[in-house]
Amino acid sequence: MNIRVFFLVIVCTGPMVGWPARAQQPSVALPQSGDVEALKHQMLEMQAGLKQIQIQHQREVSALRAEVESLRRVIDDLRKPVATGGEGSFPTTDESVAAPSGPHGAPSAAPAAAAPGFPTTDAAVAAAPGAATPAWLSGPITIAGGGKTFLNLSLDAQFAGAVSTERHLDRLEVGDHDPQQRGFNARNTELALDGAVDPYFEGFANIVFKLDNDNETSVEVEEAFMQTTTLPWSLQAKGGQFFAPFGRLNPQHPHVWDFVDTPLVSGRLLGPDGLRGVGTQWSWLTPLPWYSQIALAIQNGNGGTGFSFRNQGDGGVFYNRTTFDRGLGGVDDLVFIPRLESSFDLSSTHTLLVGASGAFGPNDTGKSARTEIYGADLFYKWKSAHAEGGWPFVKWQTEALGRHFEADRGVDDQFPVRETFDDWGVYSQVVWGFYKGWAAGLRGDVLHMEASDYTDDPERQSRWRIAPDVTWYPTEFSKFRLQYNHDFLEANHFMHSGNADSVFLQFEFSLGAHGAHKF
Amino acid sequence: MRRAKSFLTALAGVLALVSSAHATLNVVATLPDFGALATEIGGDKVEVTVLAKATEDSHFVDARPSFIVKLRNADVLIEGGAELETGWLPPLLQNARNEKIATGAPGRVVAAQGLRLMNVPTDVTRAAGDVHALGNPHYMIDPIIAKTVAEHIAHAFAACDAANAATYEANYRTFAATVDARLQEWGKTLLPFKGANVVAYHDSWPYLAHRFGLTIDTFLEPKPGIPPSPSHLADVIDKMKAQHSKAIILEPFHNRKIAEKVAASTGAKIIDAAQYPGALPNTETYVGLIDALVARIAAALGGQ
């Protein structure tokens, strides 16, 4: 057996080994029987192989055919809705509700590539709603749903050009931010900062830069205080330097005023800087169904911002008296400012706000001299239900103040007499926003200072004023105001009567966070 | 002793009445679209108060003191966020004295949270007008976004009032199903006008344009918040003629005279539209509002 196998191998490999040798020989040798067998065998093998390949090929072809058929069916299905224009194709089916896109006015590319299937079948309009609340105390806290910020910052600057028949405009105008000289004035560049301090407090500051008549800069910390956000029982407290809650105008910053200058009664009774000081204020929002708030502020009441109180006056003299440096002897030496205010919605477009205020404290003309100021204020506003950008509207504001001032005899009783001054004043102003961006106003001022035969302070002159104005707001962030003042000053024991006419052109810009104003 | 007992029972009865009277959730919504959704989701379990009027421009609402009382009494506050109410809501909240609606509290719903807004500006400068730094905040006009906001509201109601969570969930599902069904019909109605150019007074319609395939990118305002100037209006008229714009979409507080002038010059129709339920007749619900808008748009674009 082995020999046969061996012989077979020799025969099979023989021709292969001998092939090259044969090739070299030109002469053709006769095929031997072993070679033929081998060739036959090979042929059979090749045939079998070919058959197998054929079978495989056929299998593959039929599989491909089937695939093509099914794809064709799918395409036909897809084609159908496009052809008939039915519900499968419009509108946008983008997965996301909206993608953040480029600059204003450039819509994102996603909607342009409208895929079939309508209406939009986007599964995820957004990420999980209610996300993005801070998880830790020092995380950025969003204020009123706005952008993430720790601090809102804005700058508001007011300027005024002034002409007047009165040479000493600073004697005619009663407020510290009013135009005080002929020519150009820049007396109110206000930096306002506010933000959430933490979950319990909000912080506010108003720093005002003024250029005086010699173009020297002075800085005023007008307000800087913290205020609670979540005290129970509808209470709210604030502490720091702030405007006393007296009347309507006193707590307002000049950039929201409807006129260029301070009303006579506010400037002369509450002071050129308004009544403000360092202290604390507590307020309670009553459970009544309409807005009704009771507040009490307690402040130092000293300096020029406590004008009718512990104010030493210019050069230590106030109403001709040499003033005491009282200091704080007891609780009685603080100024107490209570206020009650209520608001009524007369209809969906008419609102009324009324208030009563008081301010009680010592003054520095005597060891036990006291000052009492009383105020009543009324504010009414109508705004159209279809107001465009806030226009049209009508606002009417009136305040009446009365002050009982015990003017003692000063240090060492230097002044000959003790007097009590009952001074009072009223102002009333109407503003009509007649067309978007424009408002016309008219204000009348009356100030009555009690006559005295002994005190010749020029600020004690009774007077009245009428002031029409027109304001143009190109946008909410800038304004131009033209105002005409006619002042009449009454004669008294020491002063002649007088008239003065002034014209102011005020211009203002504001930068930064969108300031929102109280009503 | 007997008098004391009867007094105590009377007191208990009064207290029970009072406490049951407070069983409803006090919901305050800044704008009428949120109010409409709150009513859909809350049903009779909530008492909804809306601050702004339906015909009002939401950027310029007066912060009336009476709103402070409403916010003080609220269990839930729904606001739009994205700087929409930034001109009037902050001072109200500063005085609201209500920790239930403080930032981060479960009763404080900022509807824009979690949404991806359109047209977020790359440069925030007021030289471009009164830009919205966080993107276009008029997102509620898109029904699919309204569904998401409704879900957000339902979660908030459930968080503040767990006892009725199932009701809020069910009401949300009903609302979502209604919107889904109506979407098909709205789409059919507006399909013939796909790609049509519509002019708007103010850029408050991008979400509607995106959802229903309209092109609303020409405005009578040259920049947001800037009143139309004669030269800009002339450009708009030329553009309208070139693009064959057939309609101008106007909100209740816009200057109709200006729009009428432009319409007269171009033969376009004015669409009296609104973004808030209640401003147009028979639009007290959100779905009713979109129904009316779709019908008016189709009428203006389809009519001769």
Side-chain angles (χ1 to χ4, degrees), chain A residues 85-87 89-94 96-108 110-111 114 118-122 124-134 141-148 194 199 202 204 227-231 233-236 283-293 343-351 353 381 383-390 435-436 474-477 510-519, chain B residues 53-57 59-70 72-73 79-83 85-91 93-100 102-105 108 110 113-123 126 128-131 134 136 142 144-145 147-148 151-152 155 180 182-188 190-195 201 203 207 209-214 217 219 221 223-228 252-255 258:
Chain A
E87 46 265 84
S89 63
F90 168 78
T92 50
T93 53
D94 52 350
S96 63
V97 160
S101 72
H104 174 85
S108 60
F118 167 76
T120 48
T121 54
D122 49 357
V125 158
T133 47
I141 295 171
T142 55
I143 302 165
K148 281 194 182 4
D194 74 89
E202 278 171 340
F204 301 82
Q227 182 168 280
T228 63
T229 50
T230 53
L231 284 185
W233 308 317
S234 297
L235 289 171
Q236 186 165 53
S283 63
W284 177 50
L285 188 63
T286 71
L288 291 168
W290 63 86
Y291 171 83
S292 193
Q293 178 178 269
S343 175
F344 306 97
D345 288 349
L346 303 175
S347 78
S348 66
T349 52
H350 299 259
T351 315
L353 183 58
K381 180 168 184 184
K383 191 175 92 167
S384 162
H386 294 254
E388 187 192 4
Y435 185 75
K436 181 165 196 252
T475 63
E476 315 142 58
F477 308 105
S510 104
L511 285 172
H514 198 308
H517 299 132
K518 291 182 75 165
F519 186 64
Chain B
K53 295 187 264 289
T55 51
E56 246 182 320
D57 186 340
H59 303 300
F60 298 103
V61 177
D62 276 346
R64 299 166 104 184
S66 59
F67 296 167
I68 297 176
V69 179
K70 293 179 178 150
R72 189 269 308 269
N73 296 339
E79 57 161 317
E83 297 189 344
E85 300 104 341
T86 191
W88 54 279
L89 191 60
L93 288 172
Q94 281 161 14
N95 281 317
R97 308 146 204 254
N98 187 349
E99 60 180 354
K100 285 183 280 184
T103 309
R108 178 70 167 272
V110 181
Q113 253 173 9
L115 298 180
R116 280 157 60 190
L117 303 184
M118 290 180 80
N119 300 346
V120 179
T122 44
D123 270 313
R126 295 220 174 100
D130 193 359
V131 293
L134 301 172
N136 195 303
D142 178 346
I144 294 197
I145 295 184
K147 273 197 302 175
T148 303
E151 192 179 0
H152 189 171
H155 285 318
D180 283 334
R182 304 293 282 158
L183 262 176
Q184 303 290 329
E185 296 170 29
W186 294 328
K188 261 194 231 156
L190 289 178
L191 179 66
F193 312 113
K194 187 170 180 225
Y201 197 99
D203 186 13
Y207 295 90
H210 166 254
R211 187 58 61 205
F212 294 110
L214 301 168
D217 57 8
F219 312 107
E221 284 182 342
K223 286 176 183 169
I226 307 295
F253 44 85
H254 287 143
N255 188 327
I258 291 179

Side-chain angles (χ1 to χ4, degrees), chain A residues 2-55:
Chain A
N2 283 346
I3 293 182
R4 271 203 197 157
V5 169
F6 178 75
F7 183 66
L8 205 61
V9 169
I10 296 292
V11 162
C12 288
T13 56
M16 284 200 283
V17 169
W19 202 264
R22 290 252 178 102
Q24 288 169 9
Q25 290 171 8
S27 61
V28 177
L30 281 167
Q32 295 166 1
S33 59
D35 292 338
V36 174
E37 280 297 324
L39 276 167
K40 257 195 201 166
H41 191 81
Q42 277 184 345
M43 283 283 298
L44 286 165
E45 274 185 46
M46 278 167 64
Q47 270 183 345
L50 265 169
K51 256 206 187 112
Q52 273 200 343
I53 290 169
Q54 256 186 346
I55 293 169

Side-chain angles (χ1 to χ4, degrees), chain A residues 359-492:
Chain A
F360 308 99
N363 69 57
D364 280 347
T365 61
K367 285 217 178 89
S368 53
R370 304 284 303 173
T371 305
E372 292 161 12
I373 312 183
Y374 301 91
D377 55 275
L378 178 148
F379 177 70
Y380 159 81
K381 180 168 184 184
W382 166 81
K383 191 175 92 167
S384 162
H386 294 254
E388 187 192 4
W391 269 265
F393 66 84
V394 174
K395 292 195 290 195
W396 176 42
Q397 176 169 315
T398 302
E399 282 195 70
L401 279 83
R403 178 186 65 179
H404 178 82
F405 187 95
E406 289 171 6
D408 213 326
R409 295 175 62 188
V411 171
D412 295 333
D413 284 346
Q414 277 176 348
F415 200 76
V417 290
R418 178 190 277 169
E419 298 175 277
T420 54
F421 296 130
D422 285 319
D423 307 314
W424 61 266
V426 180
Y427 79 86
S428 189
Q429 63 190 46
V430 175
V431 179
W432 176 30
F434 54 92
Y435 185 75
K436 181 165 196 252
W438 290 86
L442 180 67
R443 182 178 71 193
D445 268 274
V446 170
L447 175 69
H448 182 264
M449 301 292 260
E450 186 169 332
S452 164
D453 288 344
Y454 306 94
T455 309
D456 68 355
D457 190 326
E459 289 189 2
R460 290 204 55 78
Q461 193 170 17
S462 295
R463 47 192 292 198
W464 57 262
R465 172 191 282 167
I466 186 106
D469 77 348
V470 65
T471 311
W472 173 44
Y473 299 88
T475 63
E476 315 142 58
F477 308 105
S478 58
K479 79 167 183 249
F480 293 83
R481 173 172 290 156
L482 186 66
Q483 177 173 325
Y484 162 70
N485 278 15
H486 178 79
D487 279 275
F488 174 73
L489 297 93
E490 269 176 33
N492 63 23

